Amino acid sequence: MNRQKSFQNENGPAVYLVPTPIGNLSEISPRQKEALENADVIACEDTRNSGLLLKSIGIHKPLIAHHEYNAHTSSTGILKLLEEGKKVAVISDAGYPLISDPGSELVRLASQAGYPVIPVSGSNAALNALVASGLETSHFLFYGFLDAKSVRRKKELESLKSLPYTVIFYEAPHRIEKMLEDVKEVFGDRQICLARELTKLHEEFLRGTISKILPLVSQLKGEMVVVVQGCPQQTDRSFEETVRMASELAASGIKPKQAAAKASEESGFSKNEVYQEMMRQKKEQEEQ
Ligand code: SAM
């Protein structure tokens, strides 16, 4: 059991988890700056990258490398700094440290040793993408990066495919096409939102089914987040009610195939079967 009162000894040693902008530098907040200014040392992934960012906001502090490959040794080094009474701010190249970035071992060790670990609010690519995706936001799962190898990636997707929650993935531009092909194969042709270059000049959102977005992705560059609709859940709606709903949507002006797809989306019935039945009933009515 470990209970932390973050602000009981503000002059004492502590770890501050400080997010940095994911693109637009004006998203740096007064509290983030204050935490960085008050730190004795800043632990960062890449001292050159972060050095430039910190210089641009007028912060000059000793930097230490804390990245994926040295996380264990640098965490123990940071613990020594805490023992000396130092305040350590942890940043990553962009966004929140620990979110698909290093820091979790340090947080575990520092909190176990009784040092406060204080999170500062800020930017995160996954949440920016989620809130603008147009997909369900009340329940979601952040997955981060899938495996780079297709066989392992499909296995991971198999374990996620029945979850009713919106799923958020990070992906590199050179893998996006193969990744989306695998998501389509395992999950089916769900609604997605591909969010690109968030907060930057070329910020863009592509919303639609995977099959509609796939032909465009080979031309897309930059940083990407893929938000995927959760597994459509079987509702209590019967097949007949689903067909009636599709017919009503079609009568309101939506194209029949789209109407069938929309009505079957939530009910779990096959959109083709709903469409065939809808057309059969329409023909029957016309013949009467
Ligand atoms: N810690 C970061 C965060 O809180 O979002 C994520 C770091 S992870 C190593 C980098 C990945 O985040 C990128 O490959 C991309 O998938 C996503 N990402 C980061 N910045 C982004 C941006 N401006 N637009 C879209 N995706 C971004």
Side-chain angles (χ1 to χ4, degrees):
M1 157 47 201
N2 174 306
R3 187 170 176 181
Q4 168 183 325
K5 295 262 190 196
S6 293
F7 305 112
Q8 243 170 9
N9 176 13
E10 294 208 33
N11 296 323
V15 174
Y16 289 81
L17 303 174
V18 186
T20 53
I22 55 169
N24 188 328
L25 285 189
S26 59
E27 289 199 340
I28 194 106
S29 74
R31 187 166 182 237
Q32 290 166 2
K33 268 193 181 170
E34 189 189 67
L36 295 169
E37 271 157 8
N38 289 343
D40 297 299
V41 178
I42 299 176
C44 56
E45 284 186 272
D46 181 324
T47 49
R48 258 184 39 165
N49 261 359
S50 296
L52 291 174
L53 167 79
L54 295 167
K55 196 171 159 205
S56 76
I57 55 171
I59 290 174
H60 304 277
K61 293 278 170 174
L63 302 182
I64 53 171
H66 176 65
H67 49 69
E68 198 184 337
Y69 306 104
N70 78 344
H72 180 66
T73 41
S74 65
S75 296
T76 47
I78 291 170
L79 268 190
K80 289 211 178 80
L81 293 172
L82 293 167
E83 282 160 21
E84 290 166 17
K86 302 256 175 15
K87 287 186 197 308
V88 181
V90 178
I91 63 176
S92 67
D93 281 348
Y96 263 98
L98 279 84
I99 302 298
S100 297
D101 273 334
S104 53
E105 181 173 0
L106 170 64
V107 168
R108 192 167 38 77
L109 293 176
S111 57
Q112 276 170 0
Y115 297 106
V117 176
I118 300 170
V120 173
S121 308
S123 325
N124 162 250
L127 288 180
N128 274 33
L130 173 72
V131 294
S133 69
L135 296 168
E136 180 56 46
T137 55
S138 44
H139 303 286
F140 63 88
L141 178 105
F142 171 70
Y143 195 82
F145 289 100
L146 287 158
D147 201 283
K149 296 250 169 14
S150 182
V151 176
R152 291 208 285 253
R153 184 161 59 215
K154 284 193 211 162
K155 247 193 187 153
E156 290 176 288
L157 288 166
E158 282 293 340
S159 73
L160 300 169
K161 81 170 186 192
S162 316
L163 296 176
Y165 320 118
T166 302
V167 191
I168 309 170
F169 297 106
Y170 285 163
E171 193 48 278
H174 65 277
R175 273 199 290 265
I176 189 76
E177 195 166 0
K178 294 257 176 292
M179 179 262 198
L180 284 180
E181 280 167 1
D182 287 349
V183 176
K184 182 165 169 257
E185 187 183 320
V186 178
F187 279 21
D189 195 13
R190 291 196 198 163
Q191 296 286 334
I192 64 166
C193 172
L194 191 157
R196 195 173 75 81
E197 295 288 87
L198 289 158
T199 78
K200 302 182 199 173
L201 185 64
H202 297 292
E203 177 177 281
E204 183 180 26
F205 297 92
L206 290 88
R207 304 181 181 94
T209 54
I210 303 175
S211 56
K212 284 278 187 296
I213 291 171
L214 249 175
L216 306 173
V217 296
S218 61
Q219 303 144 29
L220 301 179
K221 296 195 178 86
E223 297 194 280
M224 296 171 184
V225 181
V226 180
V227 186
V228 183
Q229 176 195 15
C231 180
Q233 295 300 289
Q234 196 89 23
T235 62
D236 290 341
R237 199 182 295 140
S238 68
F239 184 70
E240 287 70 30
E241 284 165 334
T242 307
V243 173
R244 194 174 328 119
M245 185 181 162
S247 304
E248 282 166 10
L249 286 171
S252 74
I254 297 178
K255 286 190 183 135
K257 280 201 169 145
Q258 279 175 2
K262 186 135 193 59
S264 46
E265 203 173 274
E266 292 163 12
S267 63
F269 293 109
S270 142
K271 64 180 179 197
N272 284 337
E273 285 174 27
V274 172
Y275 175 72
Q276 297 298 341
E277 179 58 18
M278 189 172 105
M279 297 323 272
R280 192 195 65 70
Q281 290 182 7
K282 188 166 182 263
K283 198 163 164 232
E284 205 175 79
Q285 278 166 10
E286 284 166 357
E287 282 169 4
Q288 279 171 7

